[in-house]
Amino acid sequence: MDIGVLLPTGTAQWDKGDDPRELVAFGRDAERAGFSSLFVNDSLITPRVEALTMLAALAPATETATLGTAALLPFLRRPVQAAQSLASVDLLSGGRLTVAVGAGFPGRFGRPLYTLSELPWERRFTRLDETVALWRAVWAGADAFRGDILRFTGIPPGTRPFRSGGPPVWLGGATPAALHRTGRLYDGWLPYPPDPADYATGLHGVHRAAAEAGRAAGDITPALFVSVRVDEDTETGRRALDRYAHATYGMPLTDLERIQAVVAGSPEQVVRGLRSYVAAGARHIVVRLGAVGLRAQRDQLERLAALLPAVCDGRQPSAITTAEAIPAS
């Protein structure tokens, strides 16, 4: 069971006066607190520290945590250059990179980004799958690639990743087509369904597609992306998450939780909520901390770190202290 944290790399998660250089120390502290992975988001719409730049900074500053994207938007980058950048981060981190990818969404997080990238919105899923296939070919040393959309010859030798075959690549999304593509082509699945029952159903679909492609269910990491707020009670937690939803997405919590997994409340309620996804099959949970400002993010990191054993091995939340969770620097 792995539990990771999404670093607050976007300016929407910062207070006035926050120093983004503190994000490296934030990642180190999260690793020491017991979080097994550090993830970053990717966008051109919301100002943020660029995803691969952030992971490159974390690579020498951390030792054991998986470094991941949740999710990288490959269409924002030239595909061969992206293969080189990803291989470099994997190399610098000693093989700790995991790349979750997506094709973007309709609305402000989709078409405008494709326009800025000078790419067509149409056939975006084919382009995504071919980009990942191209990366894997480049990482293996291929000098040419021929797909329906992407075609390259004379590819020069590039940086080889730390691991043979390159870092694992996960897919976000829970549509029937995404489940099928995950089972056939990807190394992991990173959705955010609001209902654990939908997670279980989706994971079954991934496994069915994998079996049809001759793959084992164990070849695919079942992950989950979820927003979490640990507070005194549900009402207090939901109020704080509502502020976060407005700051990050410009929408109320009631709208956000209809499309994304959200867990908020007392320590016991948060543990119960996360365990419901574990029971549904999730084995790598990526948590977005529902707080604005690096100080508030650190407070939530501390509170959630105290709950990690309860989520992972069933210990009661009251038996875990904050002092256990975050050792002194």
Side-chain angles (χ1 to χ4, degrees):
M1 188 69 219
D2 289 295
I3 299 181
V5 62
L6 184 78
L7 270 66
T9 58
T11 58
Q13 285 87 55
W14 305 345
D15 272 335
K16 185 177 180 180
D18 280 346
D19 186 344
R21 291 174 295 183
E22 294 179 17
L23 290 169
V24 174
F26 189 101
R28 283 199 304 264
D29 289 345
E31 181 182 64
R32 286 200 297 266
F35 290 93
S36 55
S37 60
L38 306 171
F39 277 75
V40 296
N41 212 331
D42 189 30
S43 179
L44 281 180
I45 297 297
T46 304
R48 67 178 63 247
V49 177
E50 194 273 328
L52 300 185
T53 303
M54 187 73 247
L55 295 185
L58 288 168
T62 56
E63 297 179 357
T64 60
T66 294
L67 305 179
T69 60
L72 192 75
L73 302 175
F75 64 86
L76 299 180
R77 299 163 177 84
R78 298 292 186 184
V80 175
Q81 183 272 333
Q84 175 87 343
S85 296
L86 292 167
S88 298
V89 174
D90 193 57
L91 189 64
L92 291 170
S93 66
R96 291 185 285 129
L97 179 64
T98 290
V99 187
V101 298
F105 303 96
R108 65 188 291 258
F109 295 102
R111 285 181 182 270
L113 296 180
Y114 277 82
T115 299
L116 288 169
S117 302
E118 300 179 313
L119 292 175
W121 173 252
E122 293 72 25
R123 301 191 71 192
R124 60 194 180 279
F125 300 114
T126 299
R127 182 181 296 276
L128 174 64
D129 293 344
E130 287 193 5
T131 298
V132 172
L134 169 66
W135 291 346
R136 289 168 171 161
V138 171
W139 295 335
D143 61 2
F145 181 85
R146 186 176 181 86
D148 290 339
I149 297 176
L150 301 179
R151 299 182 182 187
F152 296 95
T153 58
I155 302 173
T159 300
R160 293 294 185 93
F162 184 86
R163 286 167 290 185
S164 176
V169 184
W170 299 355
L171 183 65
T175 65
L179 302 179
H180 186 65
R181 290 162 56 232
T182 300
R184 290 188 302 110
L185 303 171
Y186 289 84
D187 305 306
W189 182 49
L190 184 65
Y192 43 74
D195 189 336
D198 290 335
Y199 185 93
T201 300
L203 185 57
H204 178 73
V206 169
H207 289 165
R208 183 171 58 246
E212 292 170 355
R215 303 179 69 199
D219 293 340
I220 302 164
T221 300
L224 170 77
F225 185 78
V226 56
S227 296
V228 172
R229 175 78 188 197
V230 185
D231 242 305
E232 286 69 32
D233 51 53
T234 302
E235 183 179 350
T236 305
R238 286 182 61 80
R239 280 200 304 269
L241 263 181
D242 186 65
R243 292 193 295 272
Y244 182 87
H246 277 288
T248 304
Y249 288 104
M251 67 173 67
L253 176 61
T254 51
D255 289 347
L256 181 65
E257 64 187 352
R258 282 198 288 265
I259 57 176
Q260 292 191 9
V262 173
V263 175
S266 67
E268 292 79 9
Q269 290 169 321
V270 168
V271 168
R272 202 158 48 239
L274 294 178
R275 279 182 182 168
S276 67
Y277 282 99
V278 175
R283 291 298 177 267
H284 195 136
I285 298 176
V286 180
V287 172
R288 177 169 55 187
L289 302 170
V292 176
L294 294 184
R295 179 177 295 181
Q297 284 269 333
R298 279 188 171 278
D299 176 68
Q300 282 297 304
L301 183 75
E302 184 175 327
R303 291 180 185 224
L304 184 60
L307 305 181
L308 294 182
V311 176
C312 294
D313 60 27
R315 291 170 63 184
Q316 294 300 313
S318 58
I320 311 298
T321 67
T322 297
E324 284 182 88
I326 299 189
S329 300

